[in-house]
Structure formats: C-alpha cells, structure tokens
Coordinates of all heavy atoms in Angstrom, one line a residue:
G1 N -6.1 -1.5 5.4 CA -5.2 -2.2 6.2 C -4.6 -1.4 7.4 O -3.9 -2.0 8.2
G2 N -4.9 -0.1 7.4 CA -4.4 0.6 8.6 C -5.1 0.3 9.8 O -6.1 -0.4 9.9
G3 N -4.6 0.9 10.9 CA -5.3 0.6 12.2 C -4.3 1.0 13.4 O -3.3 1.6 13.2
L4 N -4.8 0.5 14.6 CA -4.0 0.8 15.8 C -3.3 -0.5 16.2 O -3.9 -1.6 16.2 CB -5.0 1.2 16.9 CG -4.4 1.3 18.3 CD1 -3.4 2.5 18.4 CD2 -5.5 1.5 19.3
V5 N -2.0 -0.4 16.4 CA -1.2 -1.5 16.8 C -0.2 -1.1 17.9 O 0.2 0.0 18.0 CB -0.4 -2.1 15.5 CG1 0.5 -1.0 15.0 CG2 0.3 -3.4 15.8
Q6 N 0.2 -2.1 18.7 CA 1.2 -1.8 19.7 C 2.6 -1.8 19.2 O 2.9 -2.4 18.1 CB 1.1 -2.8 20.8 CG -0.2 -2.7 21.6 CD -0.2 -3.6 22.9 OE1 0.5 -4.7 22.9 NE2 -0.9 -3.3 23.9
D7 N 3.5 -1.1 19.9 CA 4.9 -1.0 19.6 C 5.4 -2.4 19.4 O 5.2 -3.3 20.2 CB 5.6 -0.3 20.7 CG 7.1 0.0 20.3 OD1 7.3 0.9 19.6 OD2 7.9 -0.8 20.8
G8 N 6.1 -2.6 18.3 CA 6.7 -4.0 17.9 C 5.7 -4.8 17.1 O 6.1 -5.9 16.7
G9 N 4.5 -4.4 16.9 CA 3.6 -5.1 16.1 C 3.7 -5.0 14.6 O 4.7 -4.4 14.1
S10 N 2.8 -5.6 13.9 CA 2.9 -5.6 12.4 C 1.5 -5.3 11.8 O 0.5 -5.5 12.4 CB 3.2 -7.0 11.9 OG 4.5 -7.4 12.4
L11 N 1.6 -4.7 10.6 CA 0.4 -4.4 9.8 C 0.8 -4.6 8.4 O 2.0 -4.5 8.0 CB -0.1 -3.0 10.0 CG -0.9 -2.6 11.2 CD1 -1.1 -1.1 11.2 CD2 -2.2 -3.3 11.3
R12 N -0.2 -5.0 7.6 CA 0.0 -5.0 6.1 C -1.0 -4.1 5.5 O -2.2 -4.3 5.6 CB -0.1 -6.4 5.6 CG 0.3 -6.5 4.1 CD 0.3 -7.9 3.5 NE -1.0 -8.3 3.1 CZ -1.3 -9.2 2.1 NH1 -0.2 -9.8 1.5 NH2 -2.5 -9.6 1.8
L13 N -0.4 -3.1 4.8 CA -1.3 -2.2 4.0 C -1.4 -2.7 2.6 O -0.5 -3.3 2.0 CB -0.6 -0.8 3.9 CG -0.3 -0.2 5.3 CD1 0.2 1.2 5.1 CD2 -1.5 -0.1 6.2
S14 N -2.6 -2.5 2.0 CA -2.9 -2.9 0.6 C -3.3 -1.6 -0.1 O -4.0 -0.7 0.5 CB -4.0 -4.0 0.6 OG -3.6 -5.1 1.2
C15 N -3.0 -1.6 -1.4 CA -3.5 -0.5 -2.2 C -4.0 -1.1 -3.5 O -3.2 -1.7 -4.3 CB -2.3 0.4 -2.5 SG -2.7 1.7 -3.7
A16 N -5.3 -1.1 -3.7 CA -5.9 -1.6 -4.9 C -6.1 -0.6 -6.0 O -6.6 0.6 -5.7 CB -7.3 -2.2 -4.6
A17 N -5.7 -0.9 -7.2 CA -5.7 0.1 -8.3 C -6.7 -0.3 -9.3 O -6.9 -1.5 -9.6 CB -4.3 0.2 -9.0
S18 N -7.4 0.7 -9.9 CA -8.3 0.4 -11.0 C -7.6 0.6 -12.3 O -6.5 1.1 -12.4 CB -9.5 1.4 -10.9 OG -9.0 2.7 -11.2
G19 N -8.2 0.0 -13.4 CA -7.6 0.2 -14.7 C -6.7 -0.9 -15.1 O -6.2 -1.6 -14.2
R20 N -6.4 -1.0 -16.4 CA -5.6 -2.1 -16.9 C -4.2 -1.7 -17.1 O -3.4 -2.4 -17.6 CB -6.2 -2.5 -18.3 CG -7.5 -3.2 -18.1 CD -8.1 -3.7 -19.5 NE -8.7 -2.5 -20.2 CZ -9.2 -2.6 -21.4 NH1 -9.3 -3.8 -22.0 NH2 -9.8 -1.6 -21.9
T21 N -3.8 -0.5 -16.6 CA -2.4 0.0 -16.8 C -1.6 -0.1 -15.6 O -0.5 0.4 -15.5 CB -2.4 1.4 -17.3 OG1 -3.1 2.3 -16.4 CG2 -3.2 1.5 -18.7
F22 N -2.1 -0.7 -14.5 CA -1.4 -0.8 -13.2 C 0.1 -1.2 -13.4 O 1.0 -0.7 -12.9 CB -2.1 -1.7 -12.3 CG -1.4 -2.0 -11.0 CD1 -1.4 -1.1 -10.0 CD2 -0.7 -3.2 -10.8 CE1 -0.7 -1.3 -8.8 CE2 0.0 -3.5 -9.6 CZ 0.0 -2.5 -8.6
S23 N 0.3 -2.3 -14.2 CA 1.6 -2.9 -14.4 C 2.6 -1.9 -15.0 O 3.8 -2.2 -15.0 CB 1.5 -4.2 -15.2 OG 1.1 -3.9 -16.5
T24 N 2.1 -0.9 -15.6 CA 3.1 0.0 -16.3 C 3.6 1.1 -15.4 O 4.4 1.9 -15.8 CB 2.4 0.7 -17.5 OG1 1.3 1.6 -17.1 CG2 1.8 -0.3 -18.5
Y25 N 3.1 1.2 -14.2 CA 3.5 2.2 -13.2 C 4.4 1.7 -12.2 O 4.3 0.6 -11.7 CB 2.3 2.8 -12.5 CG 1.4 3.7 -13.4 CD1 0.3 3.2 -14.1 CD2 1.7 5.1 -13.5 CE1 -0.5 4.0 -14.9 CE2 0.9 5.9 -14.3 CZ -0.2 5.3 -15.0 OH -1.0 6.1 -15.8
A26 N 5.4 2.6 -11.8 CA 6.1 2.3 -10.5 C 5.1 2.7 -9.4 O 4.3 3.6 -9.6 CB 7.3 3.2 -10.4
M27 N 5.2 2.1 -8.3 CA 4.3 2.3 -7.2 C 5.0 2.7 -5.9 O 6.1 2.1 -5.7 CB 3.4 1.1 -6.9 CG 2.5 0.7 -8.0 SD 1.3 1.9 -8.5 CE 0.3 2.0 -7.0
G28 N 4.5 3.7 -5.2 CA 5.2 4.1 -4.0 C 4.3 4.2 -2.8 O 3.1 4.3 -3.0
W29 N 4.9 4.1 -1.6 CA 4.2 4.4 -0.4 C 4.8 5.6 0.3 O 6.1 5.7 0.4 CB 4.3 3.2 0.6 CG 3.4 2.1 0.2 CD1 3.7 0.9 -0.5 CD2 2.0 1.9 0.6 NE1 2.6 0.1 -0.6 CE2 1.5 0.7 0.0 CE3 1.0 2.7 1.2 CZ2 0.2 0.3 0.2 CZ3 -0.2 2.3 1.4 CH2 -0.7 1.1 0.8
F30 N 4.0 6.6 0.7 CA 4.5 7.7 1.4 C 3.7 7.8 2.7 O 2.7 7.1 2.9 CB 4.2 9.0 0.6 CG 5.1 9.2 -0.6 CD1 4.9 8.4 -1.7 CD2 6.1 10.1 -0.6 CE1 5.8 8.5 -2.8 CE2 6.9 10.3 -1.7 CZ 6.8 9.5 -2.8
R31 N 4.2 8.6 3.6 CA 3.4 8.8 4.9 C 3.5 10.2 5.3 O 4.5 10.9 5.0 CB 4.0 7.8 6.0 CG 5.4 8.1 6.4 CD 5.8 7.0 7.4 NE 7.2 7.3 7.9 CZ 7.9 6.4 8.6 NH1 7.3 5.2 9.0 NH2 9.1 6.7 9.1

C-alpha cells in the first residue's frame, strides 16, 4: 500500500500475516 502521494493526501497500508496465531499478538507500525 505504500507509494508516492502529494502533501495532504491519503494512503492505506496493509500488513498481511501468515499463521493462525495472528489474533494473539499486539501489532505495531513503525517507520
């Protein structure tokens, strides 16, 4: 979902996880 956008614009990032334990983790975004 990343890319180039102008100032004031919007983007939505997605993060797909493998495995059946996804719901047991806290999830974070860093940059």
Side-chain angles (χ1 to χ4, degrees):
L4 174 64
V5 64
Q6 290 189 332
D7 186 81
S10 298
L11 282 175
R12 187 175 84 153
L13 305 183
S14 299
C15 173
S18 66
R20 290 180 283 182
T21 59
F22 173 77
S23 63
T24 67
Y25 287 92
M27 298 299 297
W29 284 97
F30 287 74
R31 67 186 181 187

